[in-house]
Amino acid sequence: MCMTYNPREIEEKWQKCWEENKTFKATEDTGKEKYYLLEMFPYPSGRIHMGHVRNYTIGDVAARYKRMKGYNVLHPMGWDAFGMPAENAAIQSKTHPAKWTYSNIDIMRQQLKRLGFSYDWDREFATSDLQYYKWEQWLFIRMYEKGLAYRKKSYVNWCATCQTVLANEQVENGLCWRCKDEVSQKELSQWFLRITKYAGELLDSLGGLAGWPERVVAMQKNWIGRSYGTEINFQIEGSEDQITVFTTRPDTLYGATFMSIAPENPLAVKLSGGTEYAGRVKAFIDKVLKQDRTVRSSEDLEKEGVFTGAYCINPVTGYRMPVYAANFVLMEYGTGAVMAVPAHDQRDFEFAKKYGLEIKVVIQPENSELKPEAMTEAFVDEGILVNSGQFNGQKNTDAVNAISGYLENRKQGGRAVNYRLKDWGISRQRYWGNPIPIIYCDSCGTVAVPEKDLPVVLPEDILLEVPGRSPLAECREFADTTCPECGKPALRETDTMDTFVESSWYFERYACPDFDDGPLDASRVDYWMPVDQYIGGIEHAVLHLLYARFFSKVLRDLGLSSVDEPFTNLLTQGMVCMETYRCESCGWLYPEEVENSLCRKCGKNALAGRVEKMSKSTKNVVDPENLIKKYGADTARLFCLFAAPPEKGLEWSDKGVEGCYRFLQRLWRLVAENQELFKDVVSVDRYGADDSDVKDLRRKTHETIKKVTGDIEKRFHYNTAISAVMELVNLLYQFDVKKGNRLFRISAFREAVEAAVLLLSPMVPHICEEMWKQMKNSGTITDAPWPVFDPQVAKAETVEIVIQVNGKVRGKIMAEADMSRDEVQTKALECEQIQQWIDGKKINKVIVVPGKLVSVVVQK
């Protein structure tokens, strides 16, 4: 065995071995308990970054660990391949998105293999593969037939930069989630998936996700947003139409004096049409639709509106309520209309004051009287109803149900449940996506593409730069077709699906990627699903995770699987962060462009900035390839695991990387320098019962096995697990195998070294495979069982007890581990260190925490 650790040679050797032997190929085995480990699959941007390395290393440790524990492990990898970045990159490089995408996949696949991840590469697919998106089109048609997919005209989020529609979940603080540019409103005909049909189930089943972070569960609960309230119908004057509102405050209905509707509500145009107000309403709508939705919903927004020229009738008072389009009402909340009660809602109060609208008090405080003309703000506290007909004198909180029941009896409304969640708009005006399999015929209307004609294939010869609409609309060979029902000329749908559709069911397809008779093989899906451990970023808490849960329930209801929830456990890993550098002349600098706090380009000062998430824009990035070339994949893996717990942010440190590399060198030397000790060593039953050094080493070995197993199994705290193995390695360097009974000592030494190598093997698999072989073990360490600790051996004979007096540490004693509480108390009170603190004082209480603490409370 070479004394020098050569990571490149070792890693290439074992990666070749794993690939040739298909070590990680998974097949269904009902005789074994399955374990499905999955990291969120990557977008093939061309290069992996340190965030990928950390995410996939965290998952790989768990997969390898479970394999060693005897589980039948599925650990697949694939590519979230459709999307605008590929299309934009193709335009810039004058190539085809498919060529750009699959070239990047080839590069990233090799990078991932270079890191030694235990993927079953036989299950690999890209969502842009024909066989994948064919079955997604099939699923869309089934959803269309079930009424879960529909088309309607509506105002949508429009990103002018990306030239496409965004779902509500893809708008962050008024900006596009991808390009970060401003989002506006645009009216288009769009396809929607009826996720609202599952709103109640999506919310209620969150209670069963005990393995999810509370933060993610809370974010989904908030996004789904269930409210219990009352729907109330307001008849439009001179029309058979009604305005329906949802409110949680039916107790204020008698005080409703005007109606506010969202500018994007179709009623705004309809009610003002043909009147003197039409022009003003249209101008107001155009103005408001350019505004940020987040700003529109903020409390400090200046309230603005315009009268539509229409009135509606308060169903309980008969009052003529003017209907206003108001900038603070959003179409996606409730019904897009709000009954305005200015005396008891601050937004309505400000609006009424601005536009001279009536303020009517219907809730009075118990010990004072409100007069509308004297009010400076809305009264929003509890009180007694007045000016409310038969409900006068009731507490307003009691009147909520009473008024709801009254409306139900009169068929003017009733109790209702409302959700903040809205249906998912999936139409995208881009080329590089999955075509929506729909045909429009003048005679037959909207027709689904027959199953025999699937897939609808993306054309290869196409002009990508078509502003404002899908490039597919300009491709006549694609857009022009014949109706499958009547045979007449017809048009294809030219929008493609939101790429989040692809990532909403890929995890189930991994169970049967070679299945040709449908999207899913139910028997194999039911064997592997649900995913036992899912790993990815917190940024997907609402978008991807909510859509994936929705799709799983749809697939269940279509009879394609029996899974209710797709992910049993969820780990959201922290970001990889690094210090930023900036030069006043050269701007942001890469780490290698800084030397001794100077810019290597121009020699001026390089100012250190904040520690931020690694980003190409701020250039605070480390290329994993360079890291691997210099230190090896195992060092990269070890640093990502050792520097911080998985759920916390990881701050990059070159010294930390160096430290991990030195530890692996030290571990390598421990085996290389003692290789002779691993030849023909026979295990013995007693390891030298009278040798305290052997007992200490064996105790530390089994303590370490217990510690590492717990840290991986229960908490994914790989950093503390690695630290525990480092302590064991330190002890091994201090252990003298030549002292005392050599056979006992060599056996204990080998046991400890083997344990250290086994425990580290999921984290740094290449070096551990090689050391395992050099230690004359049969087979690979990947196929070796996980070590099991012996509780009796791991049990400490003596423990350190901390002694507190009135809450402050005053001394420490060593006590036998099996001493009784009374014996520990007696020994503690006799401790010389604490005598000055208790001498001559009355002891009020003594608390003994076995093996840890004695707390003495004395009278002051």
Side-chain angles (χ1 to χ4, degrees), residues 6-48:
N6 185 335
R8 186 180 187 89
E9 179 182 308
I10 293 168
E11 288 167 7
E12 288 179 353
K13 168 186 173 181
W14 286 104
Q15 287 162 17
K16 182 180 179 182
C17 173
W18 296 329
E19 186 167 1
E20 289 179 349
N21 291 291
K22 293 190 178 293
T23 302
F24 305 111
K25 182 177 177 60
T27 55
E28 296 73 34
D29 183 351
T30 55
K32 272 186 171 184
E33 187 174 355
K34 68 91 181 178
Y35 190 82
Y36 186 177
L37 187 289
L38 184 64
E39 306 96 3
M40 295 178 186
F41 63 171
Y43 182 80
S45 58
R47 293 286 185 276
I48 63 169

Side-chain angles (χ1 to χ4, degrees), residues 590-777:
Y590 288 107
E592 59 269 21
E593 294 174 336
V594 179
E595 186 174 11
N596 298 324
S597 298
L598 297 175
C599 173
R600 297 182 68 176
K601 293 179 177 180
C602 66
K604 294 182 180 179
N605 286 336
L607 300 177
R610 295 185 305 174
V611 174
E612 298 181 12
K613 176 186 175 182
M614 283 190 176
S615 169
K616 291 179 183 178
S617 61
T618 53
K619 296 187 176 181
N620 60 333
V621 294
V622 173
D623 187 343
E625 281 201 16
N626 294 337
L627 185 68
I628 293 169
K629 285 178 183 176
K630 186 174 181 180
Y631 297 106
D634 281 337
T635 296
R637 292 170 62 117
L638 188 65
F639 174 75
C640 286
L641 298 168
F642 184 55
E647 71 278 7
K648 302 293 184 182
L650 183 156
E651 184 174 343
W652 187 263
S653 165
D654 291 334
K655 290 182 179 179
V657 176
E658 288 278 0
C660 289
Y661 183 60
R662 287 196 302 272
F663 170 71
L664 292 182
Q665 289 177 312
R666 195 163 183 251
L667 181 66
W668 178 267
R669 288 195 304 273
L670 182 68
V671 175
E673 291 172 358
N674 294 283
Q675 193 172 8
E676 291 299 315
L677 300 180
F678 300 119
K679 290 183 179 179
D680 304 321
V681 175
V682 179
S683 179
V684 294
D685 294 332
R686 295 186 320 114
Y687 280 81
D690 300 326
D691 189 326
S692 61
D693 289 344
V694 169
K695 291 169 70 176
D696 288 344
L697 178 59
R698 294 204 69 223
R699 183 182 305 112
K700 186 64 175 178
T701 299
H702 287 262
E703 282 178 352
T704 304
I705 296 171
K706 179 182 179 181
K707 168 71 173 168
V708 173
T709 303
D711 283 347
I712 295 177
E713 186 77 45
K714 297 175 183 177
R715 303 184 303 158
F716 285 90
H717 280 198
Y718 302 137
N719 57 322
T720 54
I722 293 167
S723 181
V725 179
M726 288 178 170
E727 290 179 11
L728 177 60
V729 171
N730 289 339
L731 185 59
L732 282 165
Y733 265 97
Q734 299 167 15
F735 188 76
D736 186 355
V737 294
K738 298 176 182 177
K739 182 181 174 182
N741 187 308
R742 182 176 172 83
L743 180 60
F744 289 153
R745 287 190 161 238
I746 291 176
S747 296
F749 183 83
R750 173 161 186 154
E751 179 191 35
V753 174
E754 283 191 353
V757 174
L758 283 165
L759 295 173
L760 285 174
S761 65
M763 304 163 195
V764 285
H766 309 90
I767 188 174
C768 290
E769 283 281 22
E770 188 62 26
M771 289 188 297
W772 186 254
K773 179 183 177 184
Q774 297 299 335
M775 290 165 67
K776 309 303 178 185
N777 287 295

Side-chain angles (χ1 to χ4, degrees), residues 372-420:
E373 62 275 10
M375 294 177 70
T376 57
E377 62 181 1
F379 177 70
V380 296
D381 295 329
E382 294 180 10
I384 304 300
L385 287 189
V386 296
N387 301 319
S388 298
Q390 68 190 65
F391 304 102
N392 283 343
Q394 292 189 23
K395 288 187 65 174
N396 72 296
T397 50
D398 294 337
V400 169
N401 278 330
I403 293 177
S404 296
Y406 177 71
L407 291 168
E408 285 177 345
N409 291 335
R410 294 176 51 160
K411 301 191 184 316
Q412 294 173 319
R415 297 171 184 85
V417 177
N418 187 64
Y419 292 92
R420 180 174 182 263

Side-chain angles (χ1 to χ4, degrees), residues 361 364 369-375:
V361 174
Q364 291 282 10
E369 182 179 356
L370 296 174
K371 294 186 180 298
E373 62 275 10
M375 294 177 70

Side-chain angles (χ1 to χ4, degrees), residues 798-817:
T798 59
V799 291
E800 184 180 70
I801 305 291
V802 174
I803 307 173
Q804 292 180 344
V805 179
N806 288 350
K808 294 185 177 180
V809 176
R810 299 300 187 186
K812 297 177 182 178
I813 59 173
M814 297 303 295
E816 294 178 11

Side-chain angles (χ1 to χ4, degrees), residues 549-610:
R549 296 180 60 229
F550 163 56
F551 252 75
S552 291
K553 296 177 189 306
V554 171
L555 292 170
R556 175 203 64 196
D557 291 347
L558 291 174
L560 297 171
S561 79
S562 60
V563 176
D564 290 325
E565 288 290 337
F567 314 120
T568 302
N569 297 290
L570 174 68
L571 173 67
T572 53
Q573 89 283 354
M575 297 181 294
V576 181
C577 304
M578 190 178 187
E579 193 173 41
T580 54
Y581 288 94
R582 191 177 180 89
C583 169
E584 63 178 13
S585 298
C586 304
W588 296 110
L589 299 173
Y590 288 107
E592 59 269 21
E593 294 174 336
V594 179
E595 186 174 11
N596 298 324
S597 298
L598 297 175
C599 173
R600 297 182 68 176
K601 293 179 177 180
C602 66
K604 294 182 180 179
N605 286 336
L607 300 177
R610 295 185 305 174

